[in-house]
Amino acid sequence: MTPQRPLKSLLSLAVAALAAGSAQAQQLQLEEVVVTAQKRVESLQDVPISVSAVSGQRMQDAYITNLESLTTYVPNFSMNQSGLSNNITIRGVSSGINPGFEQSTGMYVDGIYYGRGQLSRLPMFDMERVEVLRGPQPILFGKNSIAGAISMITAKPTDQFEGSVSALYEFEENQQDYRVVLSGPLSDTLSGRLAVMYREQDGSFVNVNTGDDEKQEEEGLVRGALRWMPTDNLDINIKYEHADFDDNGRNVELAQSLVREDLQGTGVGIDYVSALNNFVGLANNVLMLDPPVDFAGEDGKLNRVRGGNGDSHTNSSDVLVLGVDYALGDYTLTSTTGYLEYEFEQECDCDFSGASVFDAVQDESFEQFSQEFRITSPGGETVDYIAGVFFQSNELDFKDSIDVPANSLLRLLNPNFNSINTDRFATQESDMWAVFGQATWNVTDTLRLVVGARYTEESKEATKQQVHYAGGTAFPATDPSGAVPNVFFGLNPLFGSFAIEPYDEIRGDRDEQAFNPLFTVQYDLGDATMLYATYTEGFKAGGFDIRSNGHPDPAVVNACTLDTSTTPPSCARDIVGVFEFDEEEAESFEIGAKMGLGSTAELNMAAFYTEYTNLQTSQFDGILGFNVTNAGEAEIKGVELDGRWLVSEGLTLSGSVAWLDFEYTDFRNNQCYFGQQVMDPGAVQPGGVTCDATGKRKEYTPEYSGSVSAEYILPLGDSLELRTVFDLVFSDSYLFNPTLDPRSEQDAYAQYNLRVGIGDQAGNWEVAFIGKNLSDEDVVTYGGEAPLAGALTGGTGTAYYQFLDRPRTLALQALYRF
């Protein structure tokens, strides 16, 4: 039985019980959830948006350390790490793999836009709350927030002295986590807060090649904040944060090694793992490797055992935020100034095997400055409004390299295939400004009309260059058919094919404008129910592709397959890449209800329909590159429900569930999955490289997903209490490969989490047991076809690399507050 069926029954019973239970327990009162989703402090029940809010206390109890672990508790929301990037998905919409992308989900920390995918991996600590706003958010969170917005609010300095220390040890992955927070007044008008966190772990994968447990993680974060209130009208907040978050190894392995279905049982064809083993064995014998390569561990099974020659990922970031609120009569003037920079370096054994074949190195540095000025009217007037201007400027420097080391097994193809590499250099500068406003007309005590708009102008300039090297010497970007690196990295089938074309620096610039409106109608049906309907348009700027491996002009032929049947030899096929991609747009309709069922229960519902045009997608070229394309059109519709019920003193039930229907209505240029040209020839487009995905669902779009939680607090005597939290998290099946390969499907699953803590009733101390994924489900978060699989199997077989989420983990946590 799939997880969604019992949930339907549970939901029906819960709704019926809510109404009955609320009438029997009027003396109980649910605690109000306060959010700032509309840049005002409001009750969640008054906000006409589908919002999930997770408090800092909830994050601490559930041991949520980053966005990836937060997704467990928010339906229609996921964050996935791939081999070279990170992706945030809301309602099935995400950006794909390409360093030229900004995220389709706008991520904001204390009002500062974090658009780069790498920043989604930042550790989360000492948070006040996190709000996930689903659907386009074009006005108040307007920078590219076409899928939704994540607003993260860190804890602020307090007027009273307080602090906490905590420690956690997790047994399965040898995880250690230490945290210290100090907050309080420094003078009559000045208060401060210091938060320090350090975490490390070994991981759940075994690398049989290195002998290490993977992936090993090490994170450190220091945040200092000051709050100065020199007068009753002026509130100044300044925050500085430095974070380091590093990995060694990966939670990825080769799985599903197979022969193409039409060749199975014919004796023709070979699967990828077998082909690799044969190739390694041949290399050992011919090259007389000493010591010989041991290829054990690559068994093509999903068992958390992998090869690999070592992967690493180092990151550092610095953020400075200055926020000023000034009360001008009943109005509030707000200034938010932000400076952000980060650097990261990644070394990837991207053939995902224990053999020495090739390595990928990626370096990225980024700087951003932003300034927003905003005026907020006093609430409760006939017309309430927020208006402002926003400016942002950023610079990106990017380099990546494909390296063939001196001991590469590719020497078997040609002894010169060692100590060669190809490097890509790219830069991008962007300046953007916007003016925005949102007004609420309180027509009557029960009827409100909301109108909003944002006008945006953005300019970008970019450069890109591809250079091949041998022994440190660069080779010119001309037709160099006799040069070793160009033969190897080009399209010569005699020596393998990486399909990477050298070219001199290319430049591009683009300027675009967007006007995005919003219209909302709110109506109070009685004292406890609010209905709303919204129409909005979203926009995500275009940009420049960084990971494409060919020159965008087909007339530039610097690498090709030589056709020796002609005189002189000619190019049978050229590598044609992309450089620029267009903006993405959305139109969205949403209706919803926020209902209070007495004082002890609430139920919120949202139904939505969104049309996307020019969806920006990144497609693996089947070898080593990724090409950005605008996918055409898609229709997304769904329903989201969430609710809480204070059943009795000490017992609270909460839950959320989402139904999602995603359909590409026009997507004729998707990358073909392995064997699709044979298995589904009707989908193959002219040229045989792309396939029609019209009518299909996107990856990461389970039909159903959600969670149910029960929290129970039991007094023990006069001073102690037992606090228990149980979570059921479930998902329907979904595809995890952007090619939409039907072999790459994650089965429906249900995970169970449990936290049992004992402490004093005043909340000064607590010791807790935390168990996550107690059902020990194997959940694949990303996957794709192994690079070079087609070359080694002659196109007859493949294998898939798959990233796995954490298995069952068991931890002890101790906390002391003062």
Side-chain angles (χ1 to χ4, degrees), residues 189-239:
T189 59
L190 182 67
S191 57
R193 189 178 190 95
L194 176 66
V196 181
M197 182 270 284
Y198 176 79
R199 186 180 76 87
E200 65 178 22
Q201 72 170 48
D202 288 341
S204 60
F205 277 71
V206 176
N207 187 321
V208 296
N209 193 45
T210 65
D212 295 330
D213 292 331
E214 297 181 358
K215 66 178 178 170
Q216 300 173 13
E217 298 181 8
E218 184 176 16
E219 298 178 346
L221 182 148
V222 178
R223 181 188 301 132
L226 293 173
R227 184 179 188 184
W228 183 37
M229 302 179 67
T231 70
D232 292 340
N233 296 330
L234 184 60
D235 187 352
I236 301 174
N237 286 270
I238 186 168
K239 179 194 78 173

Side-chain angles (χ1 to χ4, degrees), residues 96-111:
I97 300 174
N98 196 287
F101 279 140
E102 292 178 298
Q103 292 289 310
S104 296
T105 297
M107 187 170 65
Y108 300 81
V109 181
D110 294 326

Side-chain angles (χ1 to χ4, degrees), residues 58-204:
R58 174 63 167 150
M59 295 175 64
Q60 179 176 281
D61 291 347
Y63 192 54
I64 296 171
T65 60
N66 52 34
L67 276 181
E68 195 168 11
S69 52
L70 178 71
T71 62
T72 300
Y73 301 95
V74 180
N76 274 346
F77 172 51
S78 67
M79 184 272 189
N80 310 95
Q81 297 184 33
S82 69
L84 293 171
S85 68
N86 311 282
N87 241 340
I88 302 174
T89 303
I90 290 183
R91 291 178 175 173
V93 178
S94 58
S95 295
I97 300 174
N98 196 287
F101 279 140
E102 292 178 298
Q103 292 289 310
S104 296
T105 297
M107 187 170 65
Y108 300 81
V109 181
D110 294 326
I112 304 302
Y113 176 66
Y114 285 37
R116 303 295 299 168
Q118 200 63 24
L119 294 169
S120 63
R121 300 187 60 192
L122 277 167
M124 295 171 61
F125 163 57
D126 193 34
M127 307 297 293
E128 183 177 311
R129 67 184 178 279
V130 175
E131 303 171 13
V132 180
L133 291 68
R134 291 178 288 265
Q137 305 297 322
I139 312 303
L140 303 179
F141 296 93
K143 174 60 175 165
N144 289 332
S145 303
I146 195 168
I150 304 168
S151 178
M152 292 175 272
I153 299 97
T154 60
K156 301 299 186 291
T158 55
D159 295 332
Q160 301 295 321
F161 177 74
E162 64 180 42
S164 65
V165 293
S166 66
L168 177 142
Y169 181 76
E170 196 283 317
F171 296 91
E172 301 298 316
E173 298 183 327
N174 296 320
Q175 185 173 176
Q176 301 177 60
D177 187 303
Y178 307 99
R179 308 180 180 205
V180 178
V181 176
L182 298 172
S183 182
L186 302 175
S187 71
D188 291 342
T189 59
L190 182 67
S191 57
R193 189 178 190 95
L194 176 66
V196 181
M197 182 270 284
Y198 176 79
R199 186 180 76 87
E200 65 178 22
Q201 72 170 48
D202 288 341
S204 60

Side-chain angles (χ1 to χ4, degrees), residues 354-376:
S356 177
V357 182
F358 70 91
D359 302 311
V361 180
Q362 184 171 317
D363 296 276
E364 183 175 320
S365 61
F366 179 78
E367 290 186 72
Q368 172 184 294
F369 172 80
S370 64
Q371 175 66 58
E372 181 176 277
F373 295 106
R374 192 170 69 243
I375 182 170
T376 306

